[in-house]
Amino acid sequence: MVVQDDVREGMVVRDMEGRRVGRVRAVGETHFELEPRLLSREEFLVEFSDVRLVRDGELYLERTPHLLKLEDDDGGALPPRHHNGMDAEPVNLEDVEASHPGA
């Protein structure tokens, strides 16, 4: 199974037929952000379990039909579909403390 250390920003992502589907934009603990085109505003979240193999510095996805653009109300990406209880984007603690002094 592919793990976080196997994936780096900028890697080319391909489907199993070898067609290029984009590049890795950012890497998380359980997934990475897929940017389909250079300087694209679109992003897709791909779980490491969806990667079949890494070969010659490129990622090959097991399947791609389920890749959908996911957005929440502010236009940011939502957690991957197997997010184990995360229902929203993470919140920075200093932002919460600043908006709720004495909490």
Side-chain angles (χ1 to χ4, degrees):
M1 182 172 133
V2 173
V3 295
Q4 183 179 16
D5 292 339
D6 297 329
V7 180
R8 295 178 313 281
E9 290 180 20
M11 291 180 86
V12 171
V13 180
R14 297 185 181 277
D15 65 13
M16 282 312 299
E17 286 75 42
R19 295 179 297 237
R20 183 179 168 151
V21 294
R23 287 191 173 271
V24 174
R25 181 174 181 184
V27 180
E29 290 182 21
T30 61
H31 65 281
F32 64 89
E33 292 180 18
L34 170 66
E35 182 179 41
R37 296 180 310 276
L38 188 61
L39 302 176
S40 173
R41 293 182 57 105
E42 295 180 324
E43 61 185 26
F44 299 83
L45 297 181
V46 181
E47 295 179 17
F48 296 140
S49 62
D50 290 333
V51 179
R52 182 168 185 183
L53 62 99
V54 179
R55 182 174 53 210
D56 299 326
E58 297 181 340
L59 302 175
Y60 288 79
L61 299 181
E62 181 71 42
R63 53 197 178 276
T64 54
H66 70 280
L67 294 179
L68 299 173
K69 183 178 177 188
L70 300 174
E71 292 185 353
D72 63 10
D73 293 339
D74 66 0
L78 291 173
R81 64 185 191 286
H82 300 291
H83 51 77
N84 296 329
M86 285 192 326
D87 292 327
E89 294 180 64
V91 177
N92 292 331
L93 291 178
E94 60 262 8
D95 291 344
V96 172
E97 293 169 0
S99 64
H100 294 55

